Every structure is written in C-alpha cells, then in structure tokens.
Amino acid sequence: MNHHFTFLAAFFALSLATLSSFVSAEDGNRADTGDWSIAVHGGAGTIDRGAMTAREQASYKAALAAALDAGSDVLKNGGTALDAVQAAIVPLEDDPKFNAGRGAVYTWQGTNELDAALMDGETRQAGAVAGISSVKNPILLANAIMRDGRHVFLSGAGAEEFAGDAGLERAPPEWFATQRRLESLERMKARLLSAADVDHKFGTVGAVAMDQDGNLAAGTSTGGLTGKRWGRIGDVPVIGAGTYADNRSCAVSATGTGEYFIRVGVAQEICTRLRYRFRAEMDKAQAAVPLGEDGMASYMVHASEFGLAGDMVQEEVDAVMAEVKDLGGYGGVIVVTPDGHAVFSFNTQGMYRGRATSEGMNEVAIFADE
C-alpha cells in the first residue's frame, strides 16, 4: 500500500511539473535557442517591373538591404528585437523613396502628417503616435511613448509637446518635403483623382524581429495617404490593426489601404489565428502519441518542444490577407513567429521587402514573382 501511495505521489508530482512547464511555455517563449530573425518592408501596391528602370530597382533594393543589415547587426550582437526594429526603420524614415518620415506624402492642405507605432512582444507594451509634423523619426517617438508607459497612443499637438519633453530630434517642414510627393498632390487636385489613382503603391515602412532571447517586436511608420483630410488616421498606429507583437504567436507590420486593415484588425487577427493553429496542431500531435497498457499517453507533447511549420504560418497569414481583399482592401504584411519564421503575404503586384535569419537567409525583393 505504501509503495502504491509513493507511486501515485510521484505520478501527480510529475503531472503537475509537466502542466507547469506546458503553461509557462505556452504563455511565454516557445524557444530560446540563440537564433534570430528579421523582416522589413517598404510598402506594397501596383509595382510594375516594366515601369521601373534597372537603376530604380537597384536603388530600392539597396535601401531595403541597408535597413535589413542595420536590424540584423543588432540581433547578431545579442541586441533586443525592439532595438533591431528601430534600427531598421530609422534609415527607411530618412530615405525619401518611402512614404514615411522624410518621404511622407502631402495632406490636402499641403502639409505632412506622420504616424508610427512600436510594440514589445514580451510585455505587450506599445507606443503609437498620429498626426505629427516636426519629429524627424516618428518611430523613436512611438518608442518614447511606450517607455514612458502612462499612455499608448498620442496625437497632434500633444504628441509634439511630448516629443519636446523627451528631447527627440526635430526637423523643419523642408526636411520632409519632396518634389514627387508634391506633384502627386497637385495631380490629385487638378484631376480630382483619388489617392489610389495617384499613388499606386503604399510606401509605409516597417520591421518585425525575433531576438536571441526569443522575444518579438514590431514597428511601422507612414505618411498616410496623398491628399488625406480631416486628420485621417490609417491602420499603422492602431495597435492590433497595422502593428502588433505577442511572444505567444507573432509580430506583424502591415502596409496598404488602412481603412480595410482596421476593419479586419489584421495584425492581431493574424496573431490570434496563429495561437489557435498552434493549439490545434499540438492537440493533433498529442492525439498521435502511442498509448501505454494503461490507456494513457506514453508521453506529453510540451509546448516548448513544439512549433508551427512555415507553411502553416503562411496559410494563416494568407487567409487574413484574403479577407482584406474580399472587403476591397489591398496591401501586405510581414510576420515573424517565435520559431523564427519570417513570412510575407500581399495581395498586390509587388511589395518592397526583405528578410534575414541566423540560419543564413538574407534576401530582398520587390515583385510578386521574386
């Protein structure tokens, strides 16, 4: 009888330990292997190879590669996903080729209004800003808001005041001014065109990363839509729509027709789908475990030992982008998972994009067939 009691006590102790391990792994990182992964984007849309010279293509790819290298260097040296995301986004904000920071499009009134967001997948802290016009790098203001912690989302004059208190670098209107963006606004006004008619691509920039500790982060920055009015805000600074990160599932940065991304809640929808898919696949794996003579599973599948395959991740991400398209929206997303998968999905002709991993992947691309 004592031997039987001792066996039961040991069994229940092992079961509790297994449950504890499972819960902590499911709620936190599923892997801490020293691997890292990063993806960047510079917008999606009607990007026709025939309409771009070889020199233009090379220029865009060089800019993407530089941003990717900046983020990768942080991760290679043991830096955080948050730092890597910012390191990748800042040079894209400074590059007038992209619709963020220096290359931002013009509002109907002929000004630049900038939006950005940053999120930490470990703590789910976030910072977001909308409608600012004098902060050189909006992603750094999003970071300052997140670090301060009192609020998540600031806008307009209040956000500008906060930026001043935080000591962030400011820039005059001429820093953000670019001739081709001004011409886009003039064409819109002269021909009564829509933003989609003028800008056939969405030049929003963003980055997602997983660091060597298995933590995730996401960041996005944009100038919005050409000719936007009435203080319009798109999906980029809306946590859960254009930007989201959660160590339990993924990090996402989006670009496209923001109104549709907001309605679908694209970024969090992708993360939620991946969490449910992870649970479903793990349950399948557990159901396949051989049973012992007592009818019990011979071992328990631990969340820390389990991960989604890349094709499973792609399937869920593509499903969300298909939903956006069904509603009439266009654009794309970049996604990084706790297993280090770096995934793209877009329903447009092209997307300025790049990805790199500790396993040696390092690539940039523009067109859908690349």
Side-chain angles (χ1 to χ4, degrees), residues 32-37 210-214 339 358-359:
D32 184 0
T33 62
D35 294 335
W36 56 265
S37 182
M210 181 194 78
D211 61 33
Q212 293 187 38
D213 292 324
D339 302 303
S358 53
E359 296 181 349

Side-chain angles (χ1 to χ4, degrees), residues 35-204:
D35 294 335
W36 56 265
S37 182
I38 185 170
V40 301
H41 74 76
T46 304
I47 306 173
D48 185 357
R49 182 182 272 107
M52 292 184 71
T53 66
R55 186 173 181 176
E56 287 172 331
Q57 293 178 37
S59 178
Y60 273 99
K61 286 188 174 182
L64 291 168
L68 193 62
D69 288 345
S72 297
D73 287 345
V74 172
L75 299 172
K76 289 175 186 175
N77 293 314
T80 68
L82 276 170
D83 287 343
V85 164
Q86 291 176 92
I89 290 177
V90 165
L92 294 175
E93 287 182 328
D94 291 343
D95 191 324
K97 287 191 290 296
F98 302 99
N99 176 20
R102 192 176 188 185
V105 299
Y106 284 88
T107 67
W108 188 261
Q109 290 75 25
T111 60
N112 306 108
E113 292 181 356
L114 316 172
D115 308 333
L118 183 70
M119 188 165 183
D120 180 353
E122 180 182 17
T123 62
R124 278 181 278 170
Q125 288 182 293
V129 60
I132 59 170
S133 59
S134 71
V135 178
K136 181 173 179 286
N137 293 109
I139 195 66
L140 299 184
L141 177 53
N143 178 56
I145 293 167
M146 181 188 71
R147 302 260 181 215
D148 179 78
R150 285 175 288 180
H151 304 293
V152 169
F153 201 165
L154 301 181
S155 67
E160 298 275 1
E161 181 182 353
F162 183 93
D165 293 342
L168 295 178
E169 185 177 357
R170 313 302 276 270
E174 52 267 28
W175 165 259
F176 303 102
T178 56
Q179 185 61 33
R180 71 187 184 100
R181 300 298 192 192
L182 182 58
E183 290 171 357
S184 293
L185 177 64
E186 291 171 346
R187 288 200 310 274
M188 170 183 278
K189 288 185 172 183
R191 304 178 193 174
L192 299 179
L193 300 174
S194 69
D197 292 322
V198 171
D199 289 324
H200 301 290
K201 56 183 179 294
F202 308 97
T204 294

Side-chain angles (χ1 to χ4, degrees), residues 17 31 102 116 128 177 243 317:
R102 192 176 188 185
T243 308
V317 177

Side-chain angles (χ1 to χ4, degrees), residues 253-291:
S253 175
T255 175
T257 45
E259 282 71 15
Y260 294 93
F261 281 70
I262 291 172
R263 288 162 60 185
V264 175
V266 165
Q268 190 171 31
E269 176 71 7
I270 288 172
C271 290
T272 300
R273 282 179 180 246
L274 289 178
R275 285 185 68 193
Y276 278 104
R277 182 66 179 266
F278 176 82
R279 169 65 65 179
E281 295 297 331
M282 196 172 72
D283 288 346
K284 281 185 189 178
Q286 184 62 60
V289 170
L291 302 180

